[in-house]
Amino acid sequence: CLHDRIEVYSSYQNENIKGIPLGIFCGMLTPPPIFSVNHQLAIVFKSDRSVAGSGFFASFETIDDTFECDHTFTASSGIIFFNGTNSANPECDYHINIEQGHKILLSINSINMPCFKGSLKIRNGIDLQSPGFSLLGPDSDICDGRFFSGELRSHSNRVFLQLKHGRSDSAASR
């Protein structure tokens, strides 16, 4: 990433005036989906021009702004909070993608979801096909009956979480 990279921001006027950073990407791995925080997104290509490569390809589409479930986190720390009583989406994907050369320490602070209503799958990589965390068992998922109290350390700079839940007034998912 020192030589050639893609930087994504919520807005961009110049090197000194730019919005919220949404990610820095380089190499051959496809970045996770990136969702804008408002009605715009800026993609900045930076290169030292030392090597001519094949470049990059990106596509975009508009989505309903009430679709609150898929997020990409690129900050060095943060909190993911989900309240199932307010969500109509039965499946939510969360991507944690930090700077290369770093790993992720993930702590599950609490979960309130009966296993028959759903679970949180956690993968050590970019998507659901990535390897799980051995501390979580063969399915690498958690719910009330399979709660994990502790910390998970990633093998790389990416972690994928998928929450599947059934909305119910009597059994809130959190």
Side-chain angles (χ1 to χ4, degrees):
C1 283
L2 295 174
H3 306 288
D4 300 321
R5 64 188 174 275
I6 301 291
E7 297 177 356
V8 182
Y9 299 96
S10 61
S11 64
Y12 190 93
Q13 289 183 15
N14 59 48
E15 188 62 36
N16 298 318
I17 303 172
K18 49 193 167 194
I20 300 166
L22 301 175
I24 296 175
F25 308 100
C26 60
M28 300 299 289
L29 290 176
T30 302
I34 300 167
F35 296 91
S36 65
V37 294
N38 53 28
H39 64 279
Q40 60 184 336
L41 193 69
I43 300 170
V44 179
F45 175 68
K46 295 202 172 179
S47 175
D48 66 357
R49 299 182 182 194
S50 63
V51 176
S54 58
F56 74 96
F57 173 80
S59 63
F60 70 93
E61 64 183 283
T62 59
I63 58 171
D64 184 355
D65 66 357
T66 60
F67 191 74
E68 83 290 344
C69 244
D70 291 333
H71 296 283
T72 300
F73 299 92
T74 59
S76 61
S77 66
I79 296 173
I80 300 172
F81 178 80
F82 175 82
N83 185 345
T85 58
N86 299 330
S87 177
N89 299 313
E91 185 176 294
C92 300
D93 292 345
Y94 301 96
H95 302 265
I96 303 173
N97 185 10
I98 59 170
E99 187 179 336
Q100 285 187 336
H102 292 83
K103 294 184 180 179
I104 299 165
L105 179 65
L106 182 66
S107 298
I108 307 299
N109 298 323
S110 69
I111 190 164
N112 178 7
M113 183 178 350
C115 294
F116 69 90
K117 284 287 186 188
S119 67
L120 178 64
K121 294 186 179 295
I122 305 173
R123 297 295 189 259
N124 208 341
I126 62 173
D127 58 23
L128 204 53
Q129 284 68 47
S130 298
F133 287 87
S134 59
L135 293 172
L136 299 179
D139 292 331
S140 196
D141 65 345
I142 58 174
C143 56
D144 278 352
R146 293 187 301 271
F147 181 68
F148 172 77
S149 177
E151 298 175 333
L152 300 171
R153 296 175 190 274
S154 67
H155 294 277
S156 70
N157 65 325
R158 292 181 169 187
V159 168
F160 175 79
L161 300 97
Q162 183 178 72
L163 178 69
K164 287 190 177 186
H165 69 98
R167 184 173 178 221
S168 168
D169 296 331
S170 62
S173 301
R174 192 175 96 182

